[in-house]
Amino acid sequence: MPRKIIFTGLLMLFLLTGCWDIKEIEDVGIVTGMGLDVNEEKDELTMINQYVVPARIPTQQSSAQQHSAPYQNISQSGKTFFEIIRNNSLESNRPPNYTHLKSILASTALFQKERADQVIDLFIRDHEFRRTTPVFLTKDPVLDILNTEPAKELFPSIQIKSLSENFQKNNQNPTNLSIGDLSQLISENKSFLIPGITLNEGKIKSSGAGIIDAESSNYVGWIDVEDMEGVRYIHNTVQGGFIYLDEEKVDDGPIILEIKGSNTKFKTKVTGEQLEMTIKIATSTTLAEDWGTGRDVYRKGWKKGIEDASNKVTQGKVEQVLKLAQQEYRIDFLNVSNWVQIHEPEYWEKHEKDWGEIFPDMTFKVEVSTEITDFGTQNFNTE
Amino acid sequence: MSDLKQLTMLQLVIVFISSMIGIGIILMPRDLANMVDSQDLWLSIIFGAVAVSVVSCIYVALAVRYPGLTFFEMTSTIMGKFIGFLFNFFFTVYSLIVAAYILRVTGGIIKNYLLDTTPLYVVVGSFMLVSMYLIYNGAGDIVRFFQLYFPIMMVMFIVLCLLSIKNLDFNNVRPVLQNNIWTTISGAQITFFSFLGMELLLIFSKLIKKKKAKQLLITMWTSIGLTALIYVVFHIISIGVLGVEELKEITFPTIEMAKSIEFQGFFFERFELIFLFGWLTTAYTSFTAYMYALTLGLKNMFTPSEWFLPVAGALIVALTLYPEGLTEVFHYSTQIQLISVAAIVVLPALLLIVSLIRGNTYAT
């Protein structure tokens, strides 16, 4: 019996050694953000890793004294991204850990030079990267953006990601696109938009989106902030925001309508070989701000003129984006093909290959119906 | 030896579901997406389930005619010693191959997602040891273990489904029922094999004394139906989250689906690790079931000795470490499917036919 106990004890010494290869969290180089760029001089790829420096994160006691940023950006160039990651250990003793990566910021120059599907290969192949990490595009130098002093967050990389947190309040900033979505769009062979970031007087700002073409898998153009609203309507991601109607559109204006909800429906019609699509947008709004004082909201019919004007404004925005897609770029970055596939599966099967030729010549009809449901708590009625 | 003498219906259902759901739930979405290539691929699972339900009638007929006998004992009763030995040998080899395949894929997943730097033989070996420990005491303990962990597995699957709802994009699943029906039906040749495990009725029949055929059939069909339901729900969610085109390319689609779950700042930010632990239990249960079949086969073919368990283990580990990479492993799956059809459809069917012709039953 005692022999058995001794044997078990010895066995446990071997088996239950516990955390013999423990790694303290301070010694792990947690990377919160990553920048991808090209090095023009050496004709190489550049990768910037934003490391957290835990010691410099301000606590409540020490926040007054310390002002240095709690991150360290290591920028290196090389032929492949993996090589650069491994070369990071030449500059930092802490091995990079990407499981907490918050955002990836790429430059348009990179996507002009390299194919998008090749660029993201490492990020979908390696198990340490998550599919949920959002990707952003910028025309400015990536290192400058990652070096800014962020306004709200401690790290620029997190600031970039959190810009879209208010996507239901404003229609002009795009919703986040994760690396998983990106990979899905690429494998479905679709053109798409990557949310854009700019540097505006030393501050990070969301600004439109960059277009990636399906065929070349390259960056081909930019959608400005003003046009993002139309994109959001077509992507059916509008949940809030506002519609501005100036004096020209509404007599006794300007008027601001707050969007409470919006739904976009797609109807397709095939006559012979001709494809026609109707985009039906139903928006529900309330009267948010009124610079004309003579309106009597208790009288029937006050909404009519405003609703019509609002319909026209929204329709104009959507048509503007469609025009950009069909005439200027001749690429379906709005993912309209998805609706063709859903509503006309037979047509899609036949014409999937020449979608690139069909899309620019397609007829689109945009029908908007705005509804004002509420007018708020008080209304001046001076006349 | 274990004191469990007779399985209840619930225990049987749990044994079947536990041995059917295994690596199939991780690998099937990719194979199916490549084969069917449409949003309707989940329909193939239902066709596969129907095919399996038909095949399961053979097992039920055999189990009813020879209560208390395993497959290995039936063969010699029906076919005589020599042909019976050949049948047993083939079925044992089949169990060995399937067990090794399950173990190798599981090892690959553990190495990919959990234990990066641990050598494969350590992963495989420790998995094997735990399984051997469970089998050591016989079928009763295996059944009880399955029963114990079944709720945990189910909870894990339900939680994964619930957490995935946020990422679900129904536009990926549409259009519904627009695909060529024959392509969808042909997908059943893949889904059929994800129901491998129901043939173990012939192994666990040792613990089924006398049961009515109707009762057994209901048990079989319930477990096949429940498994099919789990598969269908999983596939619809996989398509909804990842899209069909993406499913074709991802090595382990279900794990990637779990990986795309993210609730900021919440406990479930890395849910795939928790899911993997739950899933490992299901892989473990199906592996253990096959390894048990293997040891039983060895015991029946050769003179009983206490060394059968280590021999079985060594055989499996040797076969597991034989392929060099996952590409080779996936490559073997076609051959494995051929062997499976022979072992689980042709052999039992032959047995049943001969038994009916000779008209001998164990009961009389």
Side-chain angles (χ1 to χ4, degrees):
Chain A
M1 196 63 193
R3 213 194 279 171
K4 248 184 194 172
I5 294 171
I6 292 169
F7 177 73
T8 325
L10 279 175
L11 201 67
M12 279 165 113
L13 271 180
F14 274 103
L15 291 177
L16 306 175
T17 45
C19 315
W20 58 272
D21 60 349
I22 188 176
K23 216 175 265 171
E24 289 295 335
I25 195 154
E26 280 89 355
D27 297 332
V28 177
I30 291 173
V31 178
T32 58
M34 184 184 271
L36 308 174
D37 209 340
V38 280
N39 189 334
E40 301 283 348
E41 293 159 28
K42 286 203 260 170
D43 193 33
E44 277 183 338
L45 301 165
T46 304
M47 182 191 255
I48 300 136
N49 282 298
Q50 185 156 78
Y51 284 88
V52 179
V53 184
R56 271 192 254 152
I57 293 177
T59 53
Q60 284 195 326
Q61 292 87 30
S62 67
S63 59
Q65 300 121 33
Q66 285 189 337
H67 281 291
S68 53
Y71 56 83
Q72 178 196 10
N73 288 331
I74 294 184
S75 170
Q76 283 192 336
S77 298
K79 292 274 176 234
T80 59
F81 291 130
F82 196 81
E83 179 195 333
I84 302 173
I85 291 175
R86 286 294 186 256
N87 280 345
N88 261 338
S89 53
L90 302 178
E91 278 188 43
S92 167
N93 60 338
R94 295 178 302 166
N97 179 306
Y98 291 99
T99 47
H100 295 274
L101 190 66
K102 295 296 179 203
S103 63
I104 297 173
L105 180 63
S107 72
T108 51
L110 174 72
F111 280 116
Q112 260 164 343
K113 199 165 157 260
E114 306 288 347
R115 289 177 62 92
D117 45 5
Q118 294 165 347
V119 169
I120 70 159
D121 183 82
L122 172 70
F123 306 105
I124 54 171
R125 190 181 296 276
D126 199 300
H127 73 100
E128 207 171 292
F129 294 100
R130 303 185 60 75
R131 294 180 65 83
T132 45
T133 313
V135 185
F136 298 92
L137 206 58
T138 181
K139 291 196 252 189
D140 297 316
V142 175
L143 188 59
D144 290 356
I145 293 184
L146 288 177
N147 272 336
T148 50
E149 189 129 321
K152 190 188 96 201
E153 310 282 349
L154 285 171
F155 306 95
S157 46
I158 298 177
Q159 168 100 9
I160 292 170
K161 184 193 181 184
S162 54
L163 277 180
S164 67
E165 265 171 17
N166 276 335
F167 74 96
Q168 68 270 54
K169 298 275 179 201
N170 191 322
N171 284 329
Q172 293 191 332
N173 53 1
T175 46
N176 281 349
L177 179 86
S178 73
I179 200 115
D181 300 335
L182 196 79
S183 148
Q184 190 187 339
L185 287 161
I186 288 176
S187 60
E188 282 168 358
N189 202 15
K190 283 175 175 160
S191 307
F192 54 92
L193 296 172
I194 301 182
I197 297 286
T198 49
L199 203 57
N200 187 10
E201 292 164 6
K203 291 269 185 282
I204 294 166
K205 202 182 159 197
S206 164
S207 80
I211 308 167
I212 303 287
D213 175 37
E215 238 159 78
S216 60
S217 207
N218 277 135
Y219 165 78
V220 286
W222 195 268
I223 297 285
D224 289 325
V225 187
E226 294 78 40
D227 296 325
M228 273 323 286
E229 244 173 291
V231 175
R232 291 279 297 269
Y233 277 111
I234 297 176
H235 280 169
N236 197 10
T237 54
V238 174
Q239 286 177 20
F242 60 89
I243 300 170
Y244 173 74
L245 305 169
D246 58 19
E247 284 131 316
E248 288 164 27
K249 302 203 176 73
V250 163
D251 28 287
D252 204 20
I255 277 182
I256 295 270
L257 298 176
E258 188 188 358
I259 300 172
K260 286 291 178 194
S262 174
N263 192 18
T264 312
K265 279 197 177 126
F266 296 80
K267 289 258 158 66
T268 50
K269 210 175 93 187
V270 178
T271 41
E273 289 292 283
Q274 211 59 41
L275 183 67
E276 203 183 288
M277 186 178 266
T278 315
I279 302 175
K280 283 186 176 170
I281 302 170
T283 313
S284 157
T285 61
T286 60
L287 187 62
E289 192 174 344
D290 188 358
W291 285 78
T293 47
R295 218 176 305 278
D296 184 2
V297 294
Y298 300 108
R299 209 186 61 229
K300 231 183 159 188
W302 67 275
K303 299 174 189 170
K304 191 76 182 65
I306 306 172
E307 284 176 348
D308 285 347
S310 160
N311 287 348
K312 254 179 226 149
V313 169
T314 311
Q315 191 182 351
K317 279 172 184 161
V318 174
E319 275 169 355
Q320 160 76 12
V321 174
L322 285 172
K323 208 174 114 192
L324 268 178
Q326 285 191 297
Q327 290 170 15
E328 197 176 329
Y329 295 110
R330 300 179 73 82
I331 296 171
D332 174 26
F333 54 79
L334 298 162
N335 205 359
V336 175
S337 60
N338 194 15
W339 296 103
V340 181
Q341 190 189 359
I342 288 172
H343 292 305
E344 307 287 344
E346 281 159 33
Y347 180 88
W348 176 250
E349 208 161 292
K350 251 193 275 169
H351 296 92
E352 191 183 347
K353 296 235 159 52
D354 23 80
W355 177 246
E357 282 98 65
I358 296 171
F359 175 74
D361 304 318
M362 243 172 92
T363 352
F364 281 100
K365 263 193 222 153
V366 182
E367 288 172 16
V368 187
S369 65
T370 316
E371 197 186 19
I372 301 175
T373 55
D374 202 0
F375 46 78
T377 48
Q378 196 185 347
N379 188 63
F380 285 123
N381 192 2
T382 46
E383 272 172 49
Chain B
M1 281 304 273
S2 165
D3 54 337
L4 200 66
K5 294 277 184 280
Q6 171 86 18
L7 292 182
T8 62
M9 264 174 81
L10 179 72
Q11 279 172 326
L12 265 179
V13 170
I14 287 174
V15 167
F16 288 135
I17 295 183
S18 306
S19 35
M20 276 192 266
I21 299 181
I23 53 170
I25 205 160
I26 301 271
L27 294 179
M28 194 176 33
R30 178 164 45 88
D31 292 337
L32 208 51
N34 274 318
M35 176 94 192
V36 180
D37 191 15
S38 108
Q39 280 79 358
D40 289 343
L41 54 85
W42 52 270
L43 211 60
S44 304
I45 299 168
I46 296 171
F47 290 123
V50 171
V52 171
S53 307
V54 174
V55 173
S56 69
C57 296
I58 302 175
Y59 310 138
V60 171
L62 279 174
V64 170
R65 287 176 76 88
Y66 303 94
L69 287 192
T70 64
F71 177 85
F72 302 111
E73 289 151 0
M74 280 176 212
T75 46
S76 46
T77 317
I78 299 170
M79 299 297 237
K81 272 239 162 95
F82 180 68
I83 302 177
F85 183 83
L86 287 183
F87 270 41
N88 287 354
F89 183 73
F90 193 76
F91 199 87
T92 312
V93 169
Y94 158 75
S95 313
L96 170 67
I97 291 172
V98 174
Y101 184 69
I102 295 175
L103 189 57
R104 178 58 203 247
V105 173
T106 313
I109 290 170
I110 295 177
K111 249 187 95 62
N112 246 304
Y113 288 95
L114 297 171
L115 305 171
D116 221 355
T117 48
T118 314
L120 187 66
Y121 61 86
V122 174
V123 173
V124 166
S126 45
F127 209 85
M128 170 67 69
L129 283 177
V130 184
S131 194
M132 275 160 66
Y133 179 53
L134 181 59
I135 295 170
Y136 183 72
N137 251 351
D141 287 3
I142 298 176
V143 173
R144 285 213 190 83
F145 179 88
F146 285 10
Q147 223 177 337
L148 182 66
Y149 277 90
F150 184 73
I152 298 178
M153 280 151 46
M154 287 303 119
V155 164
M156 200 55 76
F157 285 133
I158 292 168
V159 168
L160 180 63
C161 292
L162 289 178
L163 290 179
S164 295
I165 285 175
K166 205 185 89 167
N167 299 328
L168 206 60
D169 181 3
F170 273 107
N171 287 339
N172 285 338
V173 193
R174 293 167 77 190
V176 183
L177 302 182
Q178 287 297 338
N179 193 38
N180 183 357
I181 191 81
W182 291 111
T183 334
T184 318
I185 291 179
S186 72
Q189 54 180 287
I190 285 177
T191 53
F192 181 85
F193 296 102
S194 59
F195 291 98
L196 283 188
M198 77 286 172
E199 76 272 17
L200 296 175
L201 172 72
L202 295 175
I203 302 298
F204 285 95
S205 55
K206 196 179 174 184
L207 295 173
I208 303 165
K209 290 286 140 62
K210 264 192 180 174
K211 278 238 166 78
K212 286 193 188 91
K214 203 175 134 199
Q215 213 182 350
L216 260 184
L217 257 188
I218 290 172
T219 317
M220 289 294 276
W221 286 348
T222 322
S223 30
I224 292 170
L226 282 175
T227 313
L229 181 74
I230 293 172
Y231 280 153
V232 167
V233 169
F234 251 70
H235 277 73
I236 290 177
I237 293 178
S238 300
I239 306 166
V241 173
L242 300 168
V244 177
E245 295 298 318
E246 190 84 338
L247 280 186
K248 290 185 199 166
E249 289 159 7
I250 297 177
T251 323
F252 304 116
T254 311
I255 302 178
E256 287 303 316
M257 180 180 100
K259 242 176 124 177
S260 35
I261 294 169
E262 187 176 85
F263 288 88
Q264 200 67 64
F266 193 50
F267 177 63
F268 288 127
E269 210 176 311
R270 296 204 64 187
F271 181 72
E272 85 269 13
L273 292 181
I274 306 167
F275 168 72
L276 268 176
F277 290 124
W279 174 79
L280 274 181
T281 330
T282 68
Y284 174 72
T285 50
S286 50
F287 170 71
T288 308
Y290 276 99
M291 187 164 164
Y292 177 65
L294 171 63
T295 46
L296 264 193
L298 287 176
K299 245 183 217 169
N300 266 286
M301 283 195 300
F302 307 103
T303 352
S305 134
E306 53 196 25
W307 288 98
F308 277 111
L309 204 51
V311 167
L315 280 176
I316 293 179
V317 170
L319 199 60
T320 304
L321 296 176
Y322 174 66
E324 266 172 33
L326 275 181
T327 321
E328 284 82 44
V329 178
F330 293 146
H331 192 75
Y332 286 127
S333 71
T334 342
Q335 280 100 307
I336 294 176
Q337 286 178 352
L338 281 178
I339 298 173
S340 313
V341 171
I344 69 172
V345 182
V346 179
L347 289 195
L350 276 178
L351 279 184
L352 185 62
I353 291 166
V354 172
S355 156
L356 284 174
I357 292 170
R358 293 178 68 174
N360 67 337
T361 61
Y362 180 74
T364 50

